[in-house]
């Protein structure tokens, strides 16, 4: 069925009309790109905060100084993964799962002299079991009881700089600022219906938006749901990811 712009589908036009509309939007997109470049330049000019890089975190080889996360490189990006104590895999944070699943390989960061790691506040034995279940190969560490800027609030993307044995916090962002870690968001924003979330500005007659993040969890049949039978979507690809009857959460992360 052809779309007319009011029936939940984009209006159908000829190629010349489409190209004219596309060119008009491209002007705004280029301005957006240039503004993003300017913001990145300002980000590079932020001051930084020195902290104790010998503070210990816990990884597969036991306690190690935070300096080890740099793996000999001068720059480090860390994703801070939220954690639900005592919860099985299906009860762990769906948003952080969405992010970590998209950051399984940091080879291009490494090629530019940047290391990458994931930290979380979970006790290491629980974290290790979860990492094994998910099949993650990124470096993971527990920062249980460690103060900011190593520990502290989770759900953040944080950048650090090393100068010999001196370590500095340079940048941190959370909320929608962390969307840069997941290309799915940008790709969905290129589709006619976008993320299908209620906050989006869409033409009248478009499919009704749902609650934010509604597609991050699904049941065994693949139906998006936040019920007790659901898991974060990537988990259904894992060996041994059987149907569940509860998230196993005890409370807030």
């Amino acid at each position: 069925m052809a779309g007319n712009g009011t029936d939940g589908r984009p209006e159908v036009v000829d190629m010349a009309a489409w190209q004219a509309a596309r060119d008009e939007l491209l002007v705004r997109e280029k301005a957006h790109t240039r503004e993003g470049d300017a913001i990145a330049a300002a980000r590079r000019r932020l001051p930084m905060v020195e902290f104790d890089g010998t503070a210990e975190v816990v990884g597969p080889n036991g306690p190690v100084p935070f300096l080890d996360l740099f793996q000999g490189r001068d720059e480090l990006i860390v994703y801070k993964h939220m954690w639900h104590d005592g919860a099985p895999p299906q009860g762990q944070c769906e948003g952080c799962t969405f992010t970590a699943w998209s950051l399984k390989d940091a080879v291009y960061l490494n090629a530019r002299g940047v290391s990458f790691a994931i930290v979380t506040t979970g006790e290491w034995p629980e974290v290790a079991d979860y990492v094994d279940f998910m099949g993650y190969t990124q470096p993971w560490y527990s920062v249980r009881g460690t103060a900011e800027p190593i520990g502290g609030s989770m759900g953040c993307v944080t950048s650090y700089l090393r100068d010999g044995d001196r370590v500095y916090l340079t940048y941190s962002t959370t909320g929608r600022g962390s969307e840069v870690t997941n290309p799915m968001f940008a790709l969905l924003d290129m589709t006619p219906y976008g993320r299908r979330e209620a906050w989006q500005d869409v033409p009248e007659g478009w499919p009704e938006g749902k609650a934010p993040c509604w597609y991050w969890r699904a049941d065994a049949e693949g139906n998006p749901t936040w019920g007790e039978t659901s898991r974060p979507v990537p988990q259904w690809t894992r060996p041994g990811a059987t149907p569940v009857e509860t998230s196993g959460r005890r409370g807030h992360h």
Side-chain angles (χ1 to χ4, degrees), residues 205-237:
W206 248 234
E208 184 176 352
K210 301 180 182 180
C213 321
W214 62 273
Y215 48 92
W216 290 5
R217 298 186 71 94
D219 61 21
E221 285 71 45
N223 302 306
T225 177
W226 284 64
E228 288 292 287
T229 62
S230 71
R231 291 179 178 271
V233 170
Q235 289 189 6
W236 293 112
T237 69

Side-chain angles (χ1 to χ4, degrees), residues 51-57 64-67 150 165 167:
F51 63 96
D52 182 10
T54 67
E56 290 187 336
V57 298
V64 297
F66 182 76
L67 271 164
I150 297 174
D165 290 337
V167 181

Side-chain angles (χ1 to χ4, degrees), residues 58-64 124 141:
V58 180
N61 297 318
V64 297
W124 178 251
Y141 296 90

Side-chain angles (χ1 to χ4, degrees), residues 31 35 38 48 51 55-56 59 72 77 91 102 114 143 156 174 195 215 217 233-234:
E35 177 62 15
M48 59 186 184
F51 63 96
E56 290 187 336
I77 292 176
S102 299
V114 180
V143 293
C156 307
T174 188
R195 308 180 194 190
Y215 48 92
R217 298 186 71 94
V233 170

Side-chain angles (χ1 to χ4, degrees), residues 48-127:
M48 59 186 184
V49 179
E50 185 172 6
F51 63 96
D52 182 10
T54 67
E56 290 187 336
V57 298
V58 180
N61 297 318
V64 297
F66 182 76
L67 271 164
D68 279 18
L69 275 63
F70 284 83
Q71 299 177 317
R73 302 182 178 94
D74 291 337
E75 295 179 280
L76 169 68
I77 292 176
V78 166
Y79 181 69
K80 297 185 173 182
H81 194 291
M82 297 178 186
W83 193 261
H84 291 269
D85 284 341
Q90 70 266 20
Q92 295 306 332
C93 178
E94 47 283 319
C96 290
T97 301
F98 200 12
T99 296
W101 193 256
S102 299
L103 293 170
K104 289 189 290 186
D105 193 331
V107 63
Y108 286 106
L109 290 175
N110 298 162
R112 295 307 304 269
V114 180
S115 291
F116 174 75
I118 296 178
V119 304
T120 188
T121 55
E123 296 280 6
W124 178 251
E126 285 191 10
V127 175

